[in-house]
């Protein structure tokens, strides 16, 4: 099981507009719960 | 999506809940309309984040009796799966991450109906709060 998210922090995801967002920004200020869905639809 | 019910609980615990899918960013708005999910949504078309989060992928993970049961149950609940927008063989999961980068909770789905519970996430957050008064 993962204990640290340091590698994930540097990775990126896209928003609906296709803009790149660095994952680490999601938990920089407060805890983040990331729920990965199997797929859209 | 059961997570709707627990969104307030998670936000009350001082955290934000992000849904991450895979496939094109153009599928995000359709997903939002279908699920009525109001929180933030991102996508990881390359599946690189799914892989780094140690989530499972594979035909055998999807095509098993439990998977069928989950699909039937979802259908009976009115959650019919339409055309798949993304990687049909990718399983989901959840992570709760603290600002210092520590993973407070890690859930890896084994079956399509094995989804993260918002209650579990809220519990992980409140445990962390107790540990750091």
């Amino acid at each position: 099981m993962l204990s640290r998210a340091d590698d994930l922090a540097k990775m990126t995801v896209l928003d609906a507009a296709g803009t790149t967002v660095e994952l680490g920004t999601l938990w920089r200020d407060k805890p983040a719960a990331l729920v990965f869905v199997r797929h859209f639809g | 999506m059961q997570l709707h019910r627990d969104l307030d609980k998670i936000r009350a615990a001082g955290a934000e809940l992000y849904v991450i899918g895979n496939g094109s960013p153009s599928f995000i708005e359709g997903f939002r309309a279908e699920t009525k999910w109001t929180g933030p949504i991102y996508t990881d078309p390359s599946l690189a984040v799914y892989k780094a989060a140690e989530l499972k992928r594979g035909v055998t993970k999807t095509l098993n009796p439990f998977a069928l049961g989950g699909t039937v149950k979802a259908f009976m609940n009115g959650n019919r799966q339409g055309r798949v927008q993304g990687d049909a063989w990718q399983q989901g999961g959840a992570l709760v991450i603290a600002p210092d980068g520590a993973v407070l909770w890690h859930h890896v789905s084994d079956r399509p109906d094995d989804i993260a519970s918002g209650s579990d996430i809220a519990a992980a957050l409140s445990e962390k709060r107790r540990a750091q008064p």
Side-chain angles (χ1 to χ4, degrees):
Chain A
M1 297 299 255
L2 225 51
S3 61
R4 299 280 316 168
D6 306 313
D7 291 342
L8 281 169
K10 297 173 215 141
M11 303 183 83
T12 57
V13 287
L14 302 176
D15 66 12
T19 306
T20 300
V21 175
E22 196 171 310
L23 263 186
T25 62
L26 305 187
W27 56 84
R28 186 178 290 160
D29 299 324
K30 56 183 178 180
L34 311 183
V35 172
F36 295 83
V37 298
R38 292 178 57 227
H39 42 69
F40 293 132
Chain B
M1 194 185 294
Q2 287 88 331
L3 287 171
H4 282 296
R5 290 195 290 270
D6 296 298
L7 181 57
D8 289 345
K9 213 185 292 180
I10 288 164
R11 286 183 170 163
E16 183 56 278
L17 179 55
Y18 300 90
V19 168
I20 298 179
N22 56 81
S24 164
S26 63
F27 298 143
I28 290 178
E29 288 312 318
F31 178 82
R32 187 184 290 288
E34 195 179 317
T35 60
K36 311 282 193 289
W37 174 252
T38 55
I41 307 177
Y42 294 107
T43 187
D44 170 33
S46 69
L47 294 172
V49 177
Y50 278 72
K51 193 174 175 191
E54 299 177 358
L55 304 180
K56 298 176 181 176
R57 185 181 183 282
V59 174
T60 54
K61 292 291 176 202
T62 305
L63 301 179
N64 64 38
F66 292 110
L68 181 63
T71 304
V72 170
K73 202 159 57 188
F75 183 83
M76 297 304 283
N77 289 335
N79 300 317
R80 190 177 59 81
Q81 182 178 315
R83 186 164 166 266
V84 170
Q85 310 287 8
D87 185 334
W89 308 126
Q90 178 66 54
Q91 300 297 309
L95 281 171
V96 179
I97 304 168
D100 66 0
V103 174
L104 306 179
W105 190 65
H106 187 199
H107 174 78
V108 177
S109 294
D110 269 325
R111 312 182 302 273
D113 63 341
D114 174 22
I115 61 167
S117 141
S119 303
D120 289 340
I121 293 170
L125 289 164
S126 59
E127 276 167 31
K128 177 67 176 176
R129 204 162 43 176
R130 277 200 301 274
Q132 291 185 341

